[in-house]
Structure formats: structure tokens, C-alpha cells
Amino acid sequence: MSNQKSRWMRIISLSFIICQFSVSLVAAQEDPVVMVVNGIPVPRSEFEYSYNKNNTEGVIDKKTVEEYVDLFINYKLKVCAALDAKYDTLSSFKAEFAQYRDQQLLPAMVTDDDMEAEAHRIYDETVQRIGPDGLIQTAHILLRVQQQGTPEELAAAKVRIDSIYNALKQGADFSELAKRLSQDPGSARQGGLLPFAQRGQFVKEFEDAAFALKDSGEVSPIVQSPFGFHIIQLRGRKMLEPFEFHHKSILQFIEQRGLRDRIATQKVDSIVKAGNKTKEEVMEQVATDMSAKDNEMKYLIQEYHDGLLLYEISNQLVWDKAAKDEAGLAQYFKKNKKKYAWDKPRYKGMAFHVKEQADVKAVKDCVKKLPFDQWAEKLRTTFNADSVIRIRVEKGIFKEGDNALVDSLVFKKDTTVNHLKDYPIDDVFGKLLKKGPEDYTDVRGLVVADYQEMLEQQWVAELRRKYTFKVDEEVLQTVNKH
């Protein structure tokens, strides 16, 4: 009997293993591996997510699937290099990644039930805050008086408000008088009408008089507040409408004020307290759970994770390195000088404007023995260091059409030069470069970009030699076609 039981247990276990294998096989068929990079399989869904996101209809340089493969492989290889270099262990990386990840996860943690509970809480708090006096709608006529106004100004305003009040008592239309005479322009356009309000939303003097009114249309005596003199008319009184009436607007309020994140943060705090876990541990679990259910979320989080790694390693090995490698930039420019030749001459120098003729020579003498990149600072400290600005300068490498003064004095063009007010004397100083830039600093931006591109190509070639990768061409043909 025991042998038979053991046999049945083995059969049941084998059936379970076969079932699990079948489920995995179905999943693999639904999302097959499109490539393997450094031993890590890339499912078709991940490649599709990246391709579709970077090749939307609005993209200028749109790629075909086949063209995108190499770009995607290069991207993955760079991430492998960053992981090997332990960039993901840096505290700065961890903090920035966690911040972005949580920005994506927190709103998604909030359920419809959470939103409803928050909406009810806001409504109930509002009802309690409004209290038994409810809401009132008033209109008012305001004559402004400065709090520090003179007795004469106060008396003049009092005479005017008294005459308005007397006109109202004799039957004048409140709205018409408010439109013509009230000095509160926002409400005056509406005949003095103010929105429904609760206690605490007006200054005390106005509030006491307004809430003392009983019947719609009733007009208060003249009220003096820090803003001036008011005459108040009650237009309506009500209690807050039922929750259902405000339901939609409360939900919109929650979204507009970013309260969804607050709700999610409160949920996380509750989990932390209840489970004796850190916030980071909770958010890691939330990320794992959501990623298992939602590929879009999984790949969005992974995209930012890998993108941060890519930025850090690219900045160190390519972007920042190229920008700071002065010797490398100079050497690259020397080898590729013909690439930066100009079709027309350029003027490397400055157009300047001074108040006195003596400063023309002084300006030129100030910089003539200095490197070009030091001119600006030397001119500033020599001529404009104090509150008196002695010169105005436009410095650069000018082609025809860039600067009217340079066009006139250097390129000998018939053009109109608009003289600067208070700086009547104009001149230029520099040199005409006929064959092209003197050195890489004259075209630094272009040289840096090209040098970065060269370093990038060298780096990618090195990564392709270092790491293995293989594309399944059959699966690739099914991208966006299944």
C-alpha cells in the first residue's frame, strides 16, 4: 500500500512539473526572446516597447525595425558596461533612480476606493468647516480708503458712501450702482456679486455684517473694514449640497492638487509601520508586484534605470571627457582641419563702442597681447569694473551679416550702423581669417561634437568586441506583427 501511495505521489509531482513547464512554454511562445546580450535574454515585448516609443509618427529620423536593432544592441552593451563598472551601486544613482521610480509607482498605487474615501473625507471636512451658518452669497459696493489715509480722505469717502446708501434706501438698483461706483473692479463688473462663501473667508467686519443679514435682498448698514467702506446686500443662503452633487468636482480637485501622491504616500507609511519595513523595501516590493502585472510599467522603470546608467557612463567616457580634453581636441582639429574650412572669411575680434576718443586706443592696447578667450574678462575689469560703464562690446567670430559695424568697417559693405546712445564712437579690433579657423577654439562647439562622436564610435566598437550578442532573426521578423 505504501509503494502504491508513493507511486501516486510521484505521478502527481510529475504532472505538476509538466503543467508548470507547459505554462512557461506558452508564455515563451507569447513573448519569445528576440536577442541575447551578454547572456541576458531580451523578450520581444521589451524590444517593441523601446522601438515603438522611439519611432512614433512625429519622430524625424524614424527607423525601421532592422535599422533600430544595432542602436538597441549598442544601448544594451553600454548598460552592461555601466553595470560591470558598478555605477548602479553609487548612492547618487540609487537616490535619483528611487525618486523617479517612486514618482511613477505612487499614483498607480491609488485605487478607485482610495479616491472615493479621500473625496468623502474632503467633503466631510468641508461640511464641518462650513458649520451651521452654511454658505452665503453677497454683493457689495466698495469705496476704497487707505488704512493710513488722512482724515480728509476718510471724510470725503464717508460723504460719498452715505450718498450711495441714501440712494439705495430711496429705491436705486443695487447692481447698477455697484457697476458704476464700486471700486472693487472684479465684482463691480458683476453688479457687485461675490461667490458663495463660508465664515472665515471675509475680513471680520465684513463677515459679521454679512452673516447678520437674514433675507435675500436685505442691505446692511455702511460697514468699514481695512479695505474701506462697504454696503453689503444678501443675495442667497444655503447649506452645502449633497456629496453626489460635488463628487466629480472633488475628484478633479484631488487630481489638480496632486493629492493622489499624498494618498499613496500615506498608504506606504501605513505599510511601513504595520510591517516593520523601510520605505525603500516597500517600494521595491511595489515595483516588483506592478512590473509583474504591467509590462508598460516594468519597461518604463527599467528604461529610467538603464537610462541613468547610460548617462553616467557616457558622460564619463564620452561627453565630459571630450569637452575637457583640450589636448585631444587640439589634436583632433589639427588632423581634421579641412573639415572646418569656411566658404567665406570670418572676422575674429570685437566691435566696440566708447564715450571718449582716447578709449579707442586704450581698448585695443588692453587686449592686443592676450589670448582671444581672455579678452572679455580683461575688458570688464579694466573698463567696466565699477558702476560706470565706459565701453560696450560685441565679441565673437563674425561672418558677413552678423554685425553691422563689422560689415561696414571690415567687410566694407554699404550698411547702416545704428550708434548706441551715450557711446558715439565705434570701432573694431581683431583679425580677418580668410582660410578658416586658427585653432579649435574658433570652432570649439563643432570640434567637441565631432570628437565626442569619434569617442562614441571607438567605445561602441570596443564593447562589441568585449560582449557577446545574438539576434534571433525569425523572432525579429514578428516584431509588431503578432
PDB file of all heavy atoms in Angstrom, residues 178-194:
ATOM      1  N   ALA A 178     -23.478  99.404  -8.148  1.00  0.00           N
ATOM      2  CA  ALA A 178     -22.209  98.678  -7.974  1.00  0.00           C
ATOM      3  C   ALA A 178     -21.378  98.738  -9.250  1.00  0.00           C
ATOM      4  O   ALA A 178     -20.156  98.954  -9.207  1.00  0.00           O
ATOM      5  CB  ALA A 178     -22.485  97.231  -7.574  1.00  0.00           C
ATOM      6  N   LYS A 179     -22.028  98.555 -10.398  1.00  0.00           N
ATOM      7  CA  LYS A 179     -21.299  98.599 -11.671  1.00  0.00           C
ATOM      8  C   LYS A 179     -20.660  99.963 -11.900  1.00  0.00           C
ATOM      9  O   LYS A 179     -19.541 100.065 -12.404  1.00  0.00           O
ATOM     10  CB  LYS A 179     -22.244  98.270 -12.821  1.00  0.00           C
ATOM     11  CG  LYS A 179     -22.646  96.807 -12.907  1.00  0.00           C
ATOM     12  CD  LYS A 179     -23.619  96.581 -14.058  1.00  0.00           C
ATOM     13  CE  LYS A 179     -24.060  95.118 -14.130  1.00  0.00           C
ATOM     14  NZ  LYS A 179     -25.028  94.890 -15.227  1.00  0.00           N
ATOM     15  N   ARG A 180     -21.353 101.033 -11.523  1.00  0.00           N
ATOM     16  CA  ARG A 180     -20.877 102.383 -11.808  1.00  0.00           C
ATOM     17  C   ARG A 180     -19.917 102.918 -10.750  1.00  0.00           C
ATOM     18  O   ARG A 180     -18.982 103.656 -11.077  1.00  0.00           O
ATOM     19  CB  ARG A 180     -22.072 103.350 -11.943  1.00  0.00           C
ATOM     20  CG  ARG A 180     -22.895 103.117 -13.193  1.00  0.00           C
ATOM     21  CD  ARG A 180     -23.842 104.283 -13.481  1.00  0.00           C
ATOM     22  NE  ARG A 180     -24.872 104.447 -12.461  1.00  0.00           N
ATOM     23  CZ  ARG A 180     -24.925 105.453 -11.608  1.00  0.00           C
ATOM     24  NH1 ARG A 180     -24.002 106.408 -11.639  1.00  0.00           N
ATOM     25  NH2 ARG A 180     -25.906 105.538 -10.716  1.00  0.00           N
ATOM     26  N   LEU A 181     -20.145 102.521  -9.486  1.00  0.00           N
ATOM     27  CA  LEU A 181     -19.457 103.236  -8.412  1.00  0.00           C
ATOM     28  C   LEU A 181     -18.507 102.387  -7.563  1.00  0.00           C
ATOM     29  O   LEU A 181     -17.616 102.934  -6.921  1.00  0.00           O
ATOM     30  CB  LEU A 181     -20.500 103.884  -7.484  1.00  0.00           C
ATOM     31  CG  LEU A 181     -21.472 104.859  -8.168  1.00  0.00           C
ATOM     32  CD1 LEU A 181     -22.531 105.316  -7.171  1.00  0.00           C
ATOM     33  CD2 LEU A 181     -20.709 106.066  -8.726  1.00  0.00           C
ATOM     34  N   SER A 182     -18.689 101.069  -7.547  1.00  0.00           N
ATOM     35  CA  SER A 182     -17.858 100.243  -6.672  1.00  0.00           C
ATOM     36  C   SER A 182     -16.406 100.246  -7.151  1.00  0.00           C
ATOM     37  O   SER A 182     -16.121 100.174  -8.342  1.00  0.00           O
ATOM     38  CB  SER A 182     -18.369  98.803  -6.638  1.00  0.00           C
ATOM     39  OG  SER A 182     -17.534  98.007  -5.802  1.00  0.00           O
ATOM     40  N   GLN A 183     -15.485 100.294  -6.202  1.00  0.00           N
ATOM     41  CA  GLN A 183     -14.062 100.310  -6.508  1.00  0.00           C
ATOM     42  C   GLN A 183     -13.412  98.939  -6.317  1.00  0.00           C
ATOM     43  O   GLN A 183     -12.195  98.822  -6.169  1.00  0.00           O
ATOM     44  CB  GLN A 183     -13.365 101.370  -5.649  1.00  0.00           C
ATOM     45  CG  GLN A 183     -13.816 102.783  -6.010  1.00  0.00           C
ATOM     46  CD  GLN A 183     -13.237 103.838  -5.095  1.00  0.00           C
ATOM     47  OE1 GLN A 183     -12.768 103.547  -3.988  1.00  0.00           O
ATOM     48  NE2 GLN A 183     -13.279 105.091  -5.539  1.00  0.00           N
ATOM     49  N   ASP A 184     -14.248  97.912  -6.333  1.00  0.00           N
ATOM     50  CA  ASP A 184     -13.759  96.536  -6.413  1.00  0.00           C
ATOM     51  C   ASP A 184     -14.029  96.072  -7.844  1.00  0.00           C
ATOM     52  O   ASP A 184     -15.110  95.589  -8.153  1.00  0.00           O
ATOM     53  CB  ASP A 184     -14.483  95.633  -5.409  1.00  0.00           C
ATOM     54  CG  ASP A 184     -14.090  94.169  -5.560  1.00  0.00           C
ATOM     55  OD1 ASP A 184     -13.088  93.892  -6.250  1.00  0.00           O
ATOM     56  OD2 ASP A 184     -14.781  93.304  -4.996  1.00  0.00           O
ATOM     57  N   PRO A 185     -13.069  96.242  -8.762  1.00  0.00           N
ATOM     58  CA  PRO A 185     -13.353  96.035 -10.180  1.00  0.00           C
ATOM     59  C   PRO A 185     -13.809  94.622 -10.513  1.00  0.00           C
ATOM     60  O   PRO A 185     -14.635  94.417 -11.404  1.00  0.00           O
ATOM     61  CB  PRO A 185     -12.022  96.368 -10.872  1.00  0.00           C
ATOM     62  CG  PRO A 185     -10.985  96.298  -9.798  1.00  0.00           C
ATOM     63  CD  PRO A 185     -11.672  96.662  -8.527  1.00  0.00           C
ATOM     64  N   GLY A 186     -13.278  93.614  -9.804  1.00  0.00           N
ATOM     65  CA  GLY A 186     -13.665  92.237 -10.097  1.00  0.00           C
ATOM     66  C   GLY A 186     -15.145  91.996  -9.914  1.00  0.00           C
ATOM     67  O   GLY A 186     -15.822  91.444 -10.786  1.00  0.00           O
ATOM     68  N   SER A 187     -15.687  92.422  -8.778  1.00  0.00           N
ATOM     69  CA  SER A 187     -17.112  92.193  -8.519  1.00  0.00           C
ATOM     70  C   SER A 187     -17.996  93.268  -9.159  1.00  0.00           C
ATOM     71  O   SER A 187     -19.155  93.012  -9.479  1.00  0.00           O
ATOM     72  CB  SER A 187     -17.372  92.152  -7.010  1.00  0.00           C
ATOM     73  OG  SER A 187     -17.136  93.423  -6.422  1.00  0.00           O
ATOM     74  N   ALA A 188     -17.438  94.463  -9.362  1.00  0.00           N
ATOM     75  CA  ALA A 188     -18.250  95.549  -9.937  1.00  0.00           C
ATOM     76  C   ALA A 188     -18.807  95.160 -11.299  1.00  0.00           C
ATOM     77  O   ALA A 188     -19.948  95.482 -11.634  1.00  0.00           O
ATOM     78  CB  ALA A 188     -17.417  96.821 -10.056  1.00  0.00           C
ATOM     79  N   ARG A 189     -17.996  94.451 -12.096  1.00  0.00           N
ATOM     80  CA  ARG A 189     -18.459  94.018 -13.423  1.00  0.00           C
ATOM     81  C   ARG A 189     -19.663  93.097 -13.333  1.00  0.00           C
ATOM     82  O   ARG A 189     -20.439  92.975 -14.277  1.00  0.00           O
ATOM     83  CB  ARG A 189     -17.311  93.326 -14.169  1.00  0.00           C
ATOM     84  CG  ARG A 189     -16.211  94.283 -14.620  1.00  0.00           C
ATOM     85  CD  ARG A 189     -15.258  93.589 -15.572  1.00  0.00           C
ATOM     86  NE  ARG A 189     -14.462  92.575 -14.889  1.00  0.00           N
ATOM     87  CZ  ARG A 189     -13.273  92.797 -14.339  1.00  0.00           C
ATOM     88  NH1 ARG A 189     -12.748  94.022 -14.382  1.00  0.00           N
ATOM     89  NH2 ARG A 189     -12.609  91.836 -13.746  1.00  0.00           N
ATOM     90  N   GLN A 190     -19.812  92.425 -12.189  1.00  0.00           N
ATOM     91  CA  GLN A 190     -20.942  91.513 -11.972  1.00  0.00           C
ATOM     92  C   GLN A 190     -22.027  92.155 -11.106  1.00  0.00           C
ATOM     93  O   GLN A 190     -22.815  91.448 -10.464  1.00  0.00           O
ATOM     94  CB  GLN A 190     -20.445  90.229 -11.289  1.00  0.00           C
ATOM     95  CG  GLN A 190     -19.261  89.564 -11.968  1.00  0.00           C
ATOM     96  CD  GLN A 190     -19.599  89.114 -13.371  1.00  0.00           C
ATOM     97  OE1 GLN A 190     -20.706  88.629 -13.628  1.00  0.00           O
ATOM     98  NE2 GLN A 190     -18.660  89.270 -14.294  1.00  0.00           N
ATOM     99  N   GLY A 191     -22.077  93.461 -11.075  1.00  0.00           N
ATOM    100  CA  GLY A 191     -23.063  94.136 -10.234  1.00  0.00           C
ATOM    101  C   GLY A 191     -22.773  93.991  -8.766  1.00  0.00           C
ATOM    102  O   GLY A 191     -23.687  94.016  -7.933  1.00  0.00           O
ATOM    103  N   GLY A 192     -21.487  93.811  -8.404  1.00  0.00           N
ATOM    104  CA  GLY A 192     -21.081  93.674  -7.006  1.00  0.00           C
ATOM    105  C   GLY A 192     -21.121  92.255  -6.490  1.00  0.00           C
ATOM    106  O   GLY A 192     -20.769  92.001  -5.338  1.00  0.00           O
ATOM    107  N   LEU A 193     -21.535  91.298  -7.336  1.00  0.00           N
ATOM    108  CA  LEU A 193     -21.774  89.930  -6.870  1.00  0.00           C
ATOM    109  C   LEU A 193     -20.479  89.215  -6.504  1.00  0.00           C
ATOM    110  O   LEU A 193     -19.504  89.242  -7.248  1.00  0.00           O
ATOM    111  CB  LEU A 193     -22.507  89.136  -7.952  1.00  0.00           C
ATOM    112  CG  LEU A 193     -23.022  87.750  -7.538  1.00  0.00           C
ATOM    113  CD1 LEU A 193     -24.107  87.886  -6.467  1.00  0.00           C
ATOM    114  CD2 LEU A 193     -23.554  86.998  -8.759  1.00  0.00           C
ATOM    115  N   LEU A 194     -20.484  88.553  -5.337  1.00  0.00           N
ATOM    116  CA  LEU A 194     -19.371  87.742  -4.864  1.00  0.00           C
ATOM    117  C   LEU A 194     -19.774  86.269  -4.857  1.00  0.00           C
ATOM    118  O   LEU A 194     -20.969  85.952  -4.783  1.00  0.00           O
ATOM    119  CB  LEU A 194     -18.965  88.168  -3.447  1.00  0.00           C
ATOM    120  CG  LEU A 194     -18.473  89.614  -3.299  1.00  0.00           C
ATOM    121  CD1 LEU A 194     -18.365  89.977  -1.819  1.00  0.00           C
ATOM    122  CD2 LEU A 194     -17.128  89.799  -3.992  1.00  0.00           C
TER     123      LEU A 194
END
